[in-house]
């Protein structure tokens, strides 16, 4: 059975904390959603702010293959005609066919927030929908706070739905606006709503009890045929129904069709892309699409998955475009390590002495504070060195960093470094925000004399510091993770030391050596 | 009705990506969980790695008010006696009363992973539980993959439970180990399991379909009386049932009792504390406890909440110890700040201009990367300075740190510092593990000339670094938290800067000033 997918990343998603889209971000995301194949893209209020107004201007020239763009607005103000309400008229004139109109379904809101009568609220719903329908729009009615409204005054809440239907609404969407409901009640109340309507019913949930996905599934089981949410779940407060979880669950496990079957495996890609455009970190543990969604750490799990994949996986990772991962750690077994070696040293088997030696080395490194779970590039280099396959493209002969504070606590860090490449050497200096940044810049200056193209391609995208073994105060072991990219690939390297500078240098050197080995060694 | 809470942060939580606890972290977390009032704390395998072994040694001397510590292990190996299995014997001898034993309930796992017969697996369950019960332990049986097992072979899956019951298990825990289930099936299968048992039943879910919380609620509704999970939901892959969501939902909205009623409002605090100890960023949008859980951004929502709080809130934020926030206009938080001021500036009231000014200052500091949630000592100093009540006992005129690497990558950091106290000054130098450690030592040497007793009392017990605003590579803002003690009190201070050295110096100076102000000012 087909379930219509209605994505609100650009509207409700934009109301999440730390989210702010530019117009060009919005267009990028709309195109990606279209490509993925969602049915509707709710894009914003075409009158609320200059950005959204510009978006609706620009979007006219974009052609969409699968998705319809939806403009979002509310019922008319009280005590005027819909045709006299400037906001409603903007909706009437907006360059898209489908508009979503939200209205009140909870008597408390009508009385206390709108400060009008229950009857006038019904008129507002009816007038607005009829007028927009006459203007040629397909109107979806979002029944705001429908579930809370139903619990407070069921007759009235249902009356708002019937009123919208009579006025010509093409879809009636039940909203758990405050996100406080649970699956059982969503099921029962959806059933009741459907029983009084002929119009198809949609569901719009928030995640304030962490039940956004479960509630949406409940509603679909009760007969809702449209699900609203956002890819990666961003939205007001705790977010909206996470479509990147809901779509694979409905489509791969529960027998519904949300997007074209060949597109489900794109869900990981589109989730990461939207996170990238929104400039927010995708949670590693996000179901289906997170980096750790199929990452096994416990030795027993790793062993089990290697014997029978589905013994510890509820679904095949490739069906959603994600990958299985074995986290390299002290609790990891030989199987994990062997998997990592498949590309760089396929000759090593479970019985090889090399494997034993590498395992020992791994343990010894972890004891020093290294962790390769998130730093596979460093692990590869470690193995290449052990096997004699590593080529050293440079080494640091010495570096000096100076940090100082004059009377006013202003920042001042500088660094110099001498780099050797074969018989040649280069000395460079730079200053920066803190000693590591200064050293990073000096190192690049020196190395770009030898490998200009490759060095200029590399940029750091993330720098993480973790103090291990806390309790030893400022002498604790520090682990530094550096994530780098050349625009194509992304790799992570690790350094550990009691000295944060040295730990950073190790991770920096690994990052550059990794790229040099990849680019030149081929 | 009472629901028993079983927290596995220290065991299943430790299997989450990027989570690694030291022994002292584990003890801190156990104490916090005890204080919060969970019934059971699953702490690890007392034989799997040196850290857990040490933990079980150290925990013997700690007294718990509310919680029982649980050791976690598996059924015996196949084809031997339980009493001959070294791991089972460690469990028999471990210094805690309660042990959790996991065993296979899915025939696929018995055949393909354990490679033994269905009958021998039942013997393994039976023998292990009987033996440990004879040794005086309370044994909980974790039926691994119970739900998948039930779907594959219901008779056999139920047989494993009944076998555990007959062998003396005190609790039978149904595990959705792969996390792939949905609420409806959890409800039905839990019902069936309960119908064949007299022993109470627990539920252990994972979050691979984002239904960990919903599934646990379903199971409780079907009759389960123990819920396993982790505060803030960390755990293998997508994590475990998030207890910081589940507990408020069950207790405040669904009528169950999980912890003592006066403790529910501690859930935000303990969640943030555990995130801090684990050194992971608590998601802003986490239900109930996240910074944005009650943060309103949409203008309409802000307006509505101001008129009638519950119009846009499913629950009162203070009932879980969280606070409402308006993301664009920071009006919330005055009450919290006022509480913090009660000791040091009791004259300030909700209407004082000072309060407004302090709120502004706080906002400006947060903007620079400071955060005082875990650093109240620094906040106190900030307020004392603002009110003119702060006495500066020293200041740093300048410092220089030098970090360098000779040809062999050995560590070498040194620092000198000039400290002024009134008209006098002292210059000192030292070397150390990294520049911060060197500077810390030099600073103490200089200051101990002036305040020998006080300075010698202070020692640093923790040093944490968090890189904010990642994406700017090595030039990102760094926040440093330093925890100090004088043997009696413990206090935490914060520093922020793009330069890790400067951030550390700020936190160090605050730490010492705080102690000097407390000791001399009285």
């Amino acid at each position: 059975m087909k379930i219509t997918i209605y994505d609100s990343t650009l509207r409700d998603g934009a109301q999440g904390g730390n989210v702010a889209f530019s117009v060009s971000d919005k267009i990028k995301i709309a195109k990606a959603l279209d490509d993925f194949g969602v049915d509707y893209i709710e894009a914003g209020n075409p009158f609320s702010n200059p950005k959204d107004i510009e978006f609706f201007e620009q979007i006219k020239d974009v052609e969409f293959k699968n998705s319809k763009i939806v403009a979002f607005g509310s019922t008319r103000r009280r005590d005027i005609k819909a045709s006299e309400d400037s906001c409603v008229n903007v909706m009437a004139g907006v360059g898209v066919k489908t508009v979503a109109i939200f209205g009140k379904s909870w008597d408390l809101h009508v009385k206390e927030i709108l400060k009008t009568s229950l009857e006038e609220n019904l008129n507002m719903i009816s007038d607005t929908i009829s007028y927009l329908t006459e203007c040629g729009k397909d109107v979806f009615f979002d029944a705001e706070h429908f579930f809370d409204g139903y619990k407070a005054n069921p007759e009235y809440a249902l009356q708002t739905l019937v009123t919208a239907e009579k006025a010509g609404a093409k879809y009636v969407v039940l909203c758990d606006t405050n996100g406080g409901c649970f699956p059982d009640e969503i099921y029962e109340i959806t059933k009741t709503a459907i029983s009084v309507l002929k119009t198809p019913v949609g569901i719009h949930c928030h995640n304030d009890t962490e039940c956004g996905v479960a509630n949406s599934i409940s509603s679909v089981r009760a007969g809702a045929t449209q699900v609203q949410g956002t890819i990666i779940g961003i939205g007001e407060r705790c977010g909206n129904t996470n479509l990147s979880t809901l779509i694979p669950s409905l489509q791969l496990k529960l027998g519904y069709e949300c997007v074209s079957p060949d597109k489900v495996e794109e869900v990981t890609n589109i989730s990461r892309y939207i996170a990238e455009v929104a400039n927010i970190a995708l949670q590693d543990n996000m179901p289906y699409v997170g980096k750790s969604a199929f990452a096994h750490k416990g030795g027993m799990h790793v062993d089990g998955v290697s014997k029978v994949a589905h013994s510890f996986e509820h679904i095949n990772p490739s069906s959603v475009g994600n990958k299985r991962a074995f986290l390299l750690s002290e609790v990891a077994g030989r199987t994990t390590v062997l998997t990592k070696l498949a590309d760089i040293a396929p000759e090593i088997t479970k019985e090889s002495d090399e494997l034993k030696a590498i395992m020992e080395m791994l343990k010894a490194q972890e004891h020093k504070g290294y962790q390769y779970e998130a730093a596979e590039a460093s692990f590869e280099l470690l193995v290449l060195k052990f096997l004699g396959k590593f080529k050293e493209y440079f080494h640091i002969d010495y570096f000096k960093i100076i940090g100082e504070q004059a009377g006013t606590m202003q920042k001042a860090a500088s660094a110099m470094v001498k780099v050797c490449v074969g018989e040649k050497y280069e000395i460079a200096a730079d200053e920066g925000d803190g000693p590591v940044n200064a050293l990073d810049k000096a190192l690049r200056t020196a190395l770009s004399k030898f490998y200009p193209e490759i060095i200029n391609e590399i940029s750091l995208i993330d720098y993480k510091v973790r103090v291990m073994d806390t309790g030893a105060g400022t002498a604790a072991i520090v682990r530094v993770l550096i994530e780098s990219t050349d625009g194509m690939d992304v790799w992570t390297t690790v350094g550990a030391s009691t000295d944060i500078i040295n730990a950073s240098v190790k991770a920096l050197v690994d990052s550059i050596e990794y790229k040099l080995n990849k680019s030149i060694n081929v």
Side-chain angles (χ1 to χ4, degrees), chain A:
Chain A
M1 186 184 168
K2 165 70 185 165
I3 300 297
T4 301
I5 298 294
Y6 183 106
D7 180 281
S8 186
T9 300
L10 301 180
R11 204 274 306 166
D12 224 343
Q15 287 177 210
N18 295 322
V19 177
F21 297 124
S22 67
V23 174
S24 95
D25 289 342
K26 284 192 146 198
I27 289 177
K28 278 185 204 166
I29 290 174
K31 285 179 177 167
L33 288 168
D34 175 53
D35 192 55
F36 180 54
V38 308
D39 301 280
Y40 296 97
I41 298 171
E42 186 173 84
N45 306 49
F47 46 80
S48 78
N49 63 68
K51 242 189 257 167
D52 281 4
I53 295 167
E54 196 189 329
F55 172 85
F56 279 97
E57 268 312 303
Q58 289 197 21
I59 207 73
K60 286 180 187 160
D61 306 324
V62 182
E63 218 167 283
F64 289 95
K65 301 183 294 282
N66 303 302
S67 311
K68 294 196 172 83
I69 301 290
V70 183
F72 179 80
S74 78
T75 50
R76 66 157 169 81
R77 273 170 294 139
R78 61 184 155 100
D79 309 323
I80 58 169
K81 287 184 184 169
S83 59
E84 286 164 1
D85 185 297
S86 56
C87 291
V88 174
N89 272 316
V90 173
M91 299 295 285
V94 71
V96 298
K97 175 88 174 158
T98 315
V99 299
I101 294 296
F102 74 92
K104 300 292 187 189
S105 283
W106 187 359
D107 56 0
L108 168 96
H109 269 256
V110 177
K111 293 179 214 156
E112 303 291 333
I113 309 293
L114 292 184
K115 307 220 181 267
T116 190
S117 69
L118 295 182
E119 202 189 332
E120 171 62 2
N121 179 55
L122 295 178
N123 293 336
M124 288 158 67
I125 294 170
S126 177
D127 287 358
T128 311
I129 296 174
S130 314
Y131 175 65
L132 289 170
T133 304
E134 282 161 26
C135 296
K137 298 299 181 196
D138 289 342
V139 184
F140 290 3
F141 177 64
D142 282 2
E144 199 193 33
H145 293 108
F146 174 72
F147 295 93
D148 293 318
Y150 183 89
K151 290 186 222 169
N153 184 343
E155 293 77 22
Y156 186 71
L158 292 172
Q159 222 178 332
T160 63
L161 307 185
V162 173
T163 302
E165 173 174 275
K166 281 192 185 143
K170 292 272 186 299
Y171 243 108
V172 170
V173 181
L174 315 178
C175 302
D176 181 22
T177 309
N178 293 1
C181 289
F182 296 102
D184 289 5
E185 55 195 11
I186 295 276
Y187 182 88
E188 293 303 332
I189 300 174
T190 302
K191 270 247 178 260
T192 307
I194 287 173
S195 73
V196 304
L197 295 168
K198 287 179 243 26
T199 316
V201 164
I203 178 77
H204 174 109
C205 292
H206 279 264
N207 207 32
D208 297 68
T209 60
E210 225 178 294
C211 289
V213 166
N215 285 345
S216 303
I217 292 173
S218 250
S219 189
V220 165
R221 283 187 156 154
T225 55
Q226 175 180 116
V227 179
Q228 303 197 344
T230 61
I231 297 275
I232 72 171
I234 55 175
E236 184 105 20
R237 304 185 313 276
C238 306
N240 292 52
T241 298
N242 186 348
L243 294 177
S244 67
T245 303
L246 185 82
I247 291 172
S249 283
L250 283 180
Q251 188 143 351
L252 299 178
K253 304 187 63 160
L254 296 168
Y256 297 90
E257 185 171 335
C258 303
V259 293
S260 151
D262 58 315
K263 284 294 182 180
V264 184
E265 66 187 39
E266 294 293 323
V267 70
T268 296
N269 271 343
I270 191 176
S271 300
R272 293 179 185 181
Y273 179 76
I274 287 178
E276 206 56 41
V277 175
N279 196 22
I280 54 179
L282 191 75
Q283 291 159 232
D284 284 350
N285 63 359
M286 190 171 278
Y288 295 104
V289 302
K291 241 172 62 182
S292 306
F294 301 94
H296 304 279
K297 192 168 176 182
M300 212 103 54
H301 287 208
V302 170
D303 187 53
V305 160
S306 307
K307 285 176 179 157
V308 186
H310 70 288
S311 68
F312 282 95
E313 278 169 359
H314 72 112
I315 202 168
N316 186 337
S318 66
S319 66
V320 289
N322 206 342
K323 290 191 286 210
R324 178 174 310 143
F326 295 139
L327 299 180
L328 282 166
S329 83
E330 57 194 356
V331 296
R334 284 186 297 171
T335 320
T336 309
V337 175
L338 215 54
T339 333
K340 304 294 177 197
L341 296 177
D343 277 349
I344 50 173
E347 69 277 13
I348 295 182
T349 66
K350 208 163 183 173
E351 276 67 43
S352 306
D353 285 345
E354 281 98 338
L355 182 61
K356 216 179 288 175
I358 289 169
M359 298 285 298
E360 284 305 311
M361 202 165 61
L362 192 63
K363 265 197 198 149
Q365 288 291 99
E366 292 218 347
H367 193 72
K368 287 189 209 157
Y370 283 81
Q371 223 194 355
Y372 295 96
E373 205 174 284
E376 299 198 356
S378 280
F379 177 71
E380 257 186 51
L381 291 178
L382 189 74
V383 172
L384 289 176
K385 282 174 192 169
F386 170 77
L387 298 174
K389 290 180 175 180
F390 171 77
K391 183 161 173 345
E392 185 187 77
Y393 284 96
F394 72 95
H395 74 268
I396 295 180
D397 186 45
Y398 66 77
F399 71 77
K400 283 184 203 296
I401 58 120
I402 297 168
E404 56 191 321
Q405 173 211 315
T408 54
M409 201 77 179
Q410 95 246 21
K411 72 163 188 260
S414 51
M416 62 179 293
V417 62
K418 179 176 176 184
V419 163
C420 302
V421 174
E423 299 293 294
K424 295 179 193 154
Y425 67 89
E426 188 70 35
I427 300 175
D430 211 328
E431 56 175 25
D433 290 311
V436 178
N437 183 238
L439 187 66
D440 175 32
K441 288 159 77 183
L443 184 60
R444 284 156 189 277
T445 308
L447 280 172
S448 63
K449 294 278 153 57
F450 300 102
Y451 310 107
E453 278 134 49
I454 299 172
I455 296 298
N456 293 337
E457 268 177 7
I458 308 175
S459 58
L460 301 192
I461 46 181
D462 203 354
Y463 173 73
K464 285 205 176 99
V465 178
R466 206 186 139 112
V467 180
M468 308 305 303
D469 176 26
T470 58
T474 50
I477 289 181
V478 173
R479 182 196 301 145
V480 168
L481 286 173
I482 287 180
E483 198 178 33
S484 312
T485 183
D486 54 12
M488 287 287 287
D489 290 319
V490 172
W491 62 96
T492 304
T493 53
V494 60
S497 167
T498 50
D499 182 341
I500 189 167
I501 308 293
N502 266 326
S504 305
V505 171
K506 287 174 183 174
L508 267 179
V509 167
D510 263 15
S511 162
I512 298 169
E513 282 286 18
Y514 180 81
K515 171 67 182 163
L516 290 171
N517 268 270
K518 285 273 161 187
S519 306
I520 306 177
N521 236 353
V522 189

